[in-house]
Amino acid sequence: MSSIRRPRLAALGAVLAAGSLALSTAPAVAITGGTPVAGSDTTHAYTAQITIGAHDRGCSAVLVDAEWLLTAASCFAENPAASLAVPAGAPAKPTTAVIGLSGTQGAERRVVEIVPRTDRDVVLARLSRPVTNVTPAQLATAAPAAGAELTFAGYGRTKTVWAPLELHTGTYTLDSTAATSAGVTGQNGAAACMGDTGGPVVSGGKLVGLNSQSFQGGCLGTDETQTSTAGVIARVDDLASWIKAKAGGTRIVDFNGDAIEDIAVGDPMATVGAETTAGLVRVVHGGGKGNAEITQDLDWVPGGAEAGDHFGNHLATVDYNEDGYTDLVVSASEENVGNGVDAGFVDILFGGKNGLGSGPAARHFEQGSGNGSIGASTPETGDRMGAALDAGTTAEGKPWILIGAPGEALGSLAKAGAAFYVHGDTNVSINQDTADVPGAAEANDAFGTSVTGDANFIAIGAPGDAIGGDANAGNLAVLSHRLNADGRPSVVAGMDQDNEKINAGAEAGDKFGQALSMVAYRPSGAATATDSILAIGAPGEALAAETGAAQQAGAGNVILVHLKADGAWDYLHALNQGSATDDRSGTIEAGDYTGSSLSAVNTAPREVGSAATLKIAVGTPGEDLAGVTDAGAIHTFSLMGSAGANDLWIEAGDGDGIPGSPGAGNKLGTSIHFTPRNLYAGMPYGPAATGALHVLPFPNAVPGGTSMPATTYQPGKGGLPANGDYFGYSAR
């Protein structure tokens, strides 16, 4: 840039204003010669103050999305004078951001993920929770012309104060523009100081860049002979599409925080030591970073491996402690607790820099221990706590876990069932004796057999519930995350097939609610994903292949329901196999048990939902193929489009990625997990004696996609230990 002579560029690079505060005990410190911003002035409220480590460094940043900041890579680089390279993933040191700081007030969040650019001094920093009371900055669409006046802001040191707790602004003149940066000179003695790095640079109210480098003339701690206010800003006016793609993407499972997807696979029947069916979980770290085996015999996992525990039979993932590392929720639903045989329990195993077990100590949930409703309950024979699991975050970003205990007795009502909603440091029980929960608690209702949830709602299935005298017809309850006066999620609705909206007719053995899956989506006209689609499996449903034909017992059916933001709901349509008079794949047959498992996904949660972005995988484990029984299949559909025009049939050997050929008793479709990247298809019953997990790239699992190579994980291959029994029974 024209105002800086070539011999001085090295000095400029040496003071990449990463804002080191090694000599300070205060947080990040502001613009020399600039103007303090009054607490009532919210013009630059999107500016954030960042503290890295135990005040090791302080920087500034700018909110560009409710969950994301833009700031300088040099804030996080190990030695910014030598290299701006920053690894993607969880920050190396705990990092705090305060957005909209006014005096001592502001929205405090933890930075949990770094997404670096490789071409400039810029990173995106994901926040632990959205910021809803500050309007993000809007990006410019082009760089301003030379000579333009730019406003810059930050929380760095001033001429006289090392750590002021107020935002300062100043004015630059734009000297020259390069592809990814621009040269600037501060007006009226204003210069960016240490701690201002990453702060916004604005032209005409739009964000054009970030403070990157400065001679720091006049800043506290700078040699008095250094008077230059020249500097360099990192351009961001061309990054809108990059920011949108990153902000609108879905989270991956990342136990070690390296921004590469990991996989956890349950084998609940595996032998551990001499204990048969004790169960274990195997973790495959992405990027070729090795595998890990988790059993209850590890000193950081609660309990001890015992025969019949079935550890790993259900899995869920969530960053429960909001530190940027994915945590694994794992159940041992047949664990004996005290005198309760198969009482069951659940653990949260926390991720960390070296994967699961390297984070905080595990959190353990068993009835009769701890606080809340779980602590107040009694472990009893057959409770099977953890027989269903789900986890996620609310629209506010608050983590939650939902635990099913379908064998829970309520008074004298054996196997009436219950669920536990875990949030923060407490938990509450939900059952059909809870106020406002639809239905009445009865023996064998098995409430909690299935659980699901998203950012808006949760749902709990009771497939054993009798409806109008029809045993095992099934029903379910839908609740929101909004807590009522009792501290429980608020009831939204109850559903069964006798409801006039569904108009299907509850019948004995339908098992409506045996499987559930829910996904949030953005309806047309809404700004965010306020609504949800709930898929309800009724694998026992009898259907006729053709009008007037005989009913096929256990053909199976899936009902789709639209849950609106206000809790109202509408029936959408049913998903099932085809007939001679429609365009759906497959054939309705007795014993297919379509809907035994479900997994819904939204590939673009920020966008208005469409047939292309809202998908579901439906398990049909009883499907007979090629003359063999219970070979199984997976059927994918759109959640919004017409069934037949948007479905794909997947069976072994058809080219989609499941190898071999259909085999008797393999029951493909028993274990499925759909993500925007892959369809995980577990085959714990064979043909491999150990079980296997097949990972089909997303295009393989939807119509019109270009087939890509699939990956198979199997004990004894790819570095996995050879022992396994039901490997692939669960996967996340």
Side-chain angles (χ1 to χ4, degrees):
M1 52 191 191
S2 59
S3 65
I4 302 177
R5 296 191 302 273
R6 185 175 301 275
R8 299 175 63 186
L9 286 176
L12 181 63
V15 288
L16 293 164
S20 174
L21 299 179
L23 302 179
S24 173
T25 58
V29 280
I31 295 166
T32 183
T35 303
V37 176
S40 59
D41 185 353
T42 60
T43 305
H44 304 286
Y46 45 64
T47 308
Q49 183 187 60
I50 293 180
T51 303
I52 299 173
H55 303 297
D56 299 336
R57 287 182 182 174
C59 284
S60 301
V62 54
L63 189 74
V64 292
D65 176 87
E67 294 183 78
W68 293 86
L69 300 172
L70 269 181
T71 188
S74 48
C75 296
F76 297 93
E78 184 174 351
N79 182 0
S83 172
L84 295 180
V86 177
K93 296 180 180 181
T95 302
T96 301
V98 181
I99 303 95
L101 181 63
S102 175
T104 59
Q105 300 299 312
E108 183 173 329
R109 300 290 187 269
R110 185 164 181 174
V111 173
V112 295
E113 181 183 0
I114 299 298
V115 182
R117 294 284 301 191
T118 58
D119 61 345
R120 66 194 77 183
D121 187 15
V122 170
V123 297
L124 266 173
R126 182 166 64 88
L127 302 173
S128 54
R129 294 186 184 181
V131 175
T132 58
N133 61 345
V134 176
T135 302
Q138 293 186 350
L139 265 69
T141 57
E149 287 193 352
L150 313 176
T151 300
F152 65 110
Y155 285 99
R157 67 186 67 171
T158 66
K159 184 175 183 178
T160 58
V161 181
W162 193 275
L165 288 177
E166 57 186 2
L167 181 66
H168 282 62
T169 63
T171 303
Y172 283 140
T173 297
L174 181 66
D175 299 324
S176 61
T177 302
T180 61
S181 63
V184 294
T185 299
Q187 296 183 5
N188 302 317
C193 298
M194 285 190 175
D196 292 325
T197 312
V201 180
V202 177
S203 175
K206 301 294 180 67
L207 184 69
V208 296
L210 305 175
N211 293 320
S212 176
Q213 302 175 14
S214 171
F215 280 117
Q216 304 184 73
C219 298
L220 183 64
T222 301
D223 191 298
E224 292 182 0
T225 62
Q226 176 57 269
T227 60
S228 174
T229 61
V232 174
I233 65 171
R235 285 181 54 188
V236 300
D237 55 273
D238 58 340
L239 298 184
S241 60
W242 176 69
I243 294 169
K244 182 179 180 181
K246 296 297 182 182
T250 54
R251 310 286 175 256
I252 63 171
V253 171
D254 186 7
F255 300 123
N256 57 1
D258 63 356
I260 304 173
E261 192 161 24
D262 303 323
I263 305 170
V265 187
D267 187 343
M269 301 296 283
T271 298
V272 178
E275 305 296 335
T276 59
T277 67
L280 56 79
V281 176
R282 298 199 193 282
V283 175
V284 180
H285 290 116
K289 295 183 179 178
N291 309 318
E293 179 177 286
I294 302 173
T295 75
Q296 292 184 90
D297 276 350
L298 296 175
D299 57 8
W300 56 272
V301 179
E306 300 166 315
D309 284 348
H310 297 181
F311 179 79
N313 59 354
H314 294 281
L315 305 173
T317 53
V318 64
D319 182 5
Y320 196 77
N321 62 343
E322 302 177 82
D323 64 352
Y325 301 95
T326 303
D327 307 318
L328 182 68
V329 187
V330 55
S331 71
S333 59
E334 274 62 55
E335 178 83 25
N336 297 343
V337 180
N339 294 323
V341 177
D342 296 344
F345 62 52
V346 171
D347 295 318
I348 306 176
L349 307 179
F350 290 97
K353 186 175 182 179
N354 295 314
L356 294 171
S358 65
R363 286 188 63 178
H364 181 66
F365 301 97
E366 69 175 55
Q367 296 185 78
S369 179
N371 65 352
S373 297
I374 294 175
S377 302
T378 301
E380 299 169 315
T381 294
D383 283 346
R384 300 186 63 237
M385 178 183 174
L389 283 178
D390 203 3
T393 56
T394 68
E396 296 175 310
K398 298 178 180 179
W400 57 267
I401 297 170
L402 192 56
I403 303 170
E408 179 78 14
L410 300 179
S412 62
L413 303 175
K415 298 181 181 179
F420 298 101
Y421 181 80
V422 180
H423 64 102
D425 293 324
T426 191
N427 59 85
V428 292
S429 62
I430 305 168
N431 58 63
Q432 289 180 299
D433 267 352
T434 303
D436 299 326
V437 173
E442 301 166 315
N444 300 311
D445 282 347
F447 184 83
T449 293
S450 57
V451 298
T452 189
D454 61 18
N456 302 319
F457 303 101
I458 60 173
I460 305 167
D465 205 310
I467 306 297
D470 292 319
N472 297 315
N475 74 356
L476 61 94
V478 179
L479 305 93
S480 79
H481 293 288
R482 180 177 56 84
L483 303 182
N484 62 21
D486 294 330
R488 290 184 169 86
S490 302
V491 174
V492 170
M495 300 177 195
D496 63 63
Q497 292 192 93
D498 272 352
N499 188 287
E500 60 181 10
K501 290 184 180 181
I502 295 177
N503 196 29
E507 299 166 315
D510 283 346
K511 294 190 175 180
F512 179 79
Q514 178 73 29
L516 299 171
S517 189
M518 184 189 297
V519 64
Y521 84 100
R522 177 185 166 191
S524 179
T528 59
T530 57
D531 292 19
S532 302
I533 295 179
L534 172 63
I536 309 160
E541 181 78 30
L543 297 175
E546 303 290 348
T547 302
Q551 296 280 308
Q552 303 296 306
N557 197 22
V558 179
I559 297 294
L560 299 182
V561 167
H562 172 201
L563 294 164
K564 301 178 183 179
D566 61 1
W569 63 277
D570 290 314
Y571 168 79
L572 294 176
H573 58 269
L575 302 175
N576 47 54
Q577 293 193 58
S579 68
T581 57
D582 61 43
D583 59 352
R584 291 190 302 273
S585 302
T587 302
I588 293 172
E589 299 165 319
D592 285 342
Y593 301 117
T594 294
S596 293
S597 57
L598 302 170
S599 185
V601 63
N602 186 348
T603 63
R606 296 285 188 92
E607 304 300 319
V608 172
S610 67
T613 61
L614 290 160
K615 300 290 185 179
I616 186 169
V618 178
T620 305
E623 180 73 24
D624 297 344
L625 294 168
V628 298
T629 60
D630 294 345
I634 299 171
H635 204 167
T636 68
F637 298 89
S638 168
L639 288 168
M640 297 195 77
S642 59
N646 295 277
D647 73 336
L648 182 73
W649 182 263
I650 299 171
E651 62 182 59
D654 66 358
D656 294 313
I658 308 295
S661 57
N666 288 348
K667 297 183 179 180
L668 174 64
T670 296
S671 169
I672 52 177
H673 179 54
F674 217 177
T675 77
R677 292 158 293 279
N678 299 300
L679 173 63
Y680 296 86
M683 297 188 71
Y685 304 120
T690 58
L693 176 72
H694 306 292
V695 185
L696 282 60
F698 189 85
N700 297 33
V702 295
T706 301
S707 185
M708 300 170 64
T711 302
T712 293
Y713 296 100
Q714 182 179 326
K717 297 183 178 181
L720 291 170
N723 62 303
D725 290 272
Y726 277 30
F727 182 87
Y729 188 87
S730 55
R732 286 295 183 272

